Amino acid sequence: MSDAEAGTETTDNPTSEKEARAGLRKGSPDSVGFSSDGPATDWRTYFPYDQPRNAQVDGIENIIETASDRGYTTLEGACGTGKTLVALCGGIQLVRDPDSPYERLFCVTPVKQQLQAFEDDLRAINRALDNRENDSDNGSDNDSGIEPVSGLTLVGKADVCSYTNTGRIDDRAIYGKCEDLREPVRRAARYADDGQRAVRELANDARLDSYNTSTNTTAQQPVATNDWTSPYTQQFPETDQSDTPYCPFYAKYRAETFDEGDGGYTPEGMLTPDDLVAQASNAGLCPHAVMSDSLQNAEVVIGNYYHLFDPTTLAAMTGELIDDQTLVVCDEAHMLIPRVRDLLSDTLTHSTLSNAISEIENRVLEQDRPGVDRILRQTLAEEGVREDDLRSFVEFLHEAKFFLEEQAVDALDDEDSNWERTNMAELPDEIQHPLRNPTTPQPDRFSEWAADNGYTNILRDASHIGTAVATALREASNRHSTFECSKTFSDTVGGVFGRWVECGHEQYFRSVELQQRASRDPSADLAWNKEYTAQFQMHNCLPATEIAGRLGQFAGGLLMSATLEPLDVYQRSVGLDQLEAKGRPVQELTYGLPFPDENRASFAVDLEKFTYKNRGGTDGRWRDPSQDALREHYAEVVQSVAQTTPGNVLVAMPSYAEGEWIADVLRQSGGVRKEVLVDESSANEVTDELKDEFFAGGDKLLVTSLRGTLTEGVDYDGDRLAACVVCGVPITNINGPVPKAIKTAYEREFGQHNGFDYAFTVPAVRKARQALGRVIRGHDEVGVRVAADRRYASRHQWDDVREYLPQYEREDYMPVERTDLGGQLETFWNGV
């Protein structure tokens, strides 16, 4: 951890021996957080450094006070506030206070680097506790006997599967393959006379020391990496009865946890995914199953927004954490609205509809095995679903599928009336076909079609019927040895249609969307389907109510970021005002940069707005002289920063295309001696390589998009970055049907003037501030921040954004003319 986060560390870096103490133990914790003299409830006990900063003391104590009243805190803390320690120390005090309702701290963040920040800070806390105990053993007066804080990081199955870690299963195939390999183990546990013995024998049969290796070289090597070695052979073992491959890691896990009353597994110390994979795999246990098993026993759980809002992830893993004994922390909370909007939007594909129809017709209605048929019908009857209900539901699904197919044709006709006679590969990769006017909330065409054809009641019952079918299929699989069902489709389809009829038309926008296939499918029955897939889409335009509903299920919480201001706008946008109206206290905390003012120069350059209308496209053949002049002025600003800065420079543009333009200008100008690197929309691995090249040494200039990943969540500490220049306010394109629907929803909720700003302008300013915030990351760092666009410099025009900067940044960013910027920059660098 850098000095920017916490201050001066009192302990040495962790030794490998110390880190090795993080691990797992069988059984739930007996007593957590008690010293020899009683409960450890003071947060200062857990603060791992010499002295907390004033902002940390204030933040921790305010958070504890508000959370004790079941309230929420919104915290904007600039880099250097030490936000992760604020959250952890305050949360751990509440969790370890026997008079507090809190049993765990659940920290979620969408940024991988911030996951690691929580892990690093929790490790630091535990090292400090251990050192104090050692000091006490040596005769000092320090506290002793305090157990380390248990922490667990949640990641996806592909990240912790022993087989994906060794390349035996492809990451992209893990979910389906995992279910196929687990199902034989489940069946052995269910149908054997002694289920625990049966699954233990499956695990033992796969061991390298008991496997017949004479016929297969794969069976002669263990499943292993450089960090761990499992007891099992690389070859997937097969059951004796059916020669079906199974997972021995899962088999041993089931054997070890067959007694559900034994408490499962408990993390000891901060258990990272790497720790978990190594220790579980060495023991022959499934790391993912162990991770899911040990959730309730960890004091600090670290995850991402999926673990908090994705319905599938909640149902499969983290739903048990959503209760009134959990303190929730949303880090990088400025990302909450767009991420939750995506997670809570529903998609129903043409192929899923087809699979659901086939599932109900072939596996339920036409089931010809008497034993299976009896279980299915009995279960459906217990769920209150008659055969007539099921047949009506299937009829509706057929008609809904036909409706989707007609809409796909209409979408293509709107795009190109001659699409059947042209090269469809030249059509857009994505085609959006709205089912209502996005600016006029009203019932969509599918809802109207359902009402006109008498399907409204079926739509309302869809979720119940789909769930009942899935329950019946799983019950048959559990009770009948010859019937297998590892995946169902009816519950997915029923859930989407159920939400379709329940969700209002103001906050949700429905459309049909076409996605071009990666490769043509000549076997598809329909002409359009050979080139495109089609899906129903229901977009969540304004998720404030859903966010408030989820947050309201916790006992209290903290939403924090370096860019939440204006906090009153933020609280309304995420629904905290709804919680406050129900008696849950909500407080605001804002902390500016704690570093010396003289180490930074911040300028807002008063230039004409850098918008598409003003600047034109990147192709100069289509621009008029005024647009060329505007581009020249912005290029001059970037060149001034690049030429005067002794170090690396980050240039953040409104789009990747604009990034290519400014990179070409800089390369051709001859006045910039730095190497110019250009970020593109690409895979994470490519972006990471570019970032490493930027950090590798020698002064460079990195051009990226303000909507990319290099402007948020990347730590440019030390001498990695000396300056950042942002061109324009990165407001997203609002011309498509979904942005128009979002704008309409915000206008109806917050007023016509506020709607656009709350939906688009404020998030854009936060993106710009995130990029500019990459520069100053520590007490001794020196740098320049330049926001180029008059909207940052002025507060007099209707579309100016300076009012959306927090007060401490308005004071920092000095308005300056383009012609004066170079001199100001030279003066600053000459003076430091």
Side-chain angles (χ1 to χ4, degrees), residues 82-124:
K83 296 183 291 295
T84 54
L85 271 181
V86 167
L88 286 171
C89 290
I92 291 168
Q93 170 173 326
L94 289 165
V95 168
R96 290 200 164 184
D97 183 348
D99 296 325
S100 161
Y102 295 100
E103 296 294 330
R104 70 189 63 83
L105 179 62
F106 187 16
C107 305
V108 293
T109 175
V111 179
K112 186 176 182 180
Q113 181 170 299
Q114 288 306 113
L115 287 176
Q116 296 168 349
F118 278 106
E119 293 171 351
D120 291 344
D121 277 359
L122 190 51
R123 280 193 179 114

Side-chain angles (χ1 to χ4, degrees), residues 772-786:
L772 294 162
R774 300 302 98 194
V775 180
I776 305 293
R777 312 295 291 177
H779 191 273
D780 297 324
E781 293 183 15
V782 177
V784 164
R785 305 176 298 174
V786 176

Side-chain angles (χ1 to χ4, degrees), residues 134-289:
N134 292 336
D135 289 343
S136 179
D137 292 341
N138 294 328
S140 78
D141 294 330
N142 288 333
D143 294 332
S144 63
I146 300 175
E147 291 290 325
V149 181
S150 59
L152 177 68
T153 300
L154 308 181
V155 291
K157 187 175 290 186
D159 295 312
V160 290
C161 172
S162 307
Y163 287 121
T164 58
N165 271 245
T166 54
R168 291 284 288 140
I169 298 177
D170 188 280
D171 289 0
R172 295 166 295 183
I174 179 59
Y175 289 96
K177 186 66 174 178
C178 175
E179 286 304 304
D180 291 343
L181 293 172
R182 284 186 174 189
E183 186 58 25
V185 178
R186 296 188 186 109
R187 298 177 73 80
R190 285 195 298 265
Y191 298 124
D193 293 336
D194 185 340
Q196 185 173 23
R197 179 179 178 181
V199 293
R200 191 178 298 279
E201 287 178 351
L202 287 177
N204 289 336
D205 288 346
R207 292 179 62 90
L208 193 66
D209 54 16
S210 64
Y211 206 84
N212 180 3
T213 63
S214 60
T215 59
N216 195 318
T217 56
T218 315
Q220 298 174 15
Q221 300 296 327
V223 183
T225 69
N226 292 332
D227 298 320
W228 53 265
T229 300
S230 81
Y232 307 124
T233 170
Q234 282 189 15
Q235 178 174 308
F236 291 120
E238 297 179 346
T239 59
D240 292 336
Q241 295 82 2
S242 60
D243 296 331
T244 304
Y246 66 89
C247 176
F249 295 94
Y250 185 64
K252 185 174 183 184
Y253 163 77
R254 287 296 300 266
E256 296 295 319
T257 58
F258 213 82
D259 180 2
E260 296 182 359
D262 69 358
Y265 290 91
T266 296
E268 291 187 307
M270 178 61 241
L271 190 67
T272 68
D274 288 343
D275 297 330
L276 175 64
V277 172
Q279 294 181 38
S281 299
N282 276 328
L285 296 164
C286 169
H288 186 263

Side-chain angles (χ1 to χ4, degrees), residues 681-703:
S681 180
S682 56
N684 290 337
E685 295 80 6
V686 177
T687 303
D688 287 342
E689 290 174 3
L690 181 69
K691 181 175 61 177
D692 292 341
E693 185 179 356
F694 185 57
F695 295 158
D699 292 355
K700 298 183 181 70
L701 190 147
L702 175 58
V703 179

Side-chain angles (χ1 to χ4, degrees), residues 495-534:
V496 172
F497 281 139
R499 281 175 52 78
W500 193 285
V501 75
E502 289 173 2
C503 294
H505 295 279
E506 186 170 303
Q507 305 301 327
Y508 285 83
F509 175 69
R510 283 82 164 171
S511 65
V512 165
E513 296 184 8
L514 274 62
Q515 300 281 345
Q516 199 164 74
R517 294 182 183 274
S519 58
R520 190 173 188 273
D521 181 7
S523 65
D525 295 335
L526 302 169
W528 63 266
N529 203 20
K530 297 179 190 298
E531 301 284 353
Y532 283 91
T533 60

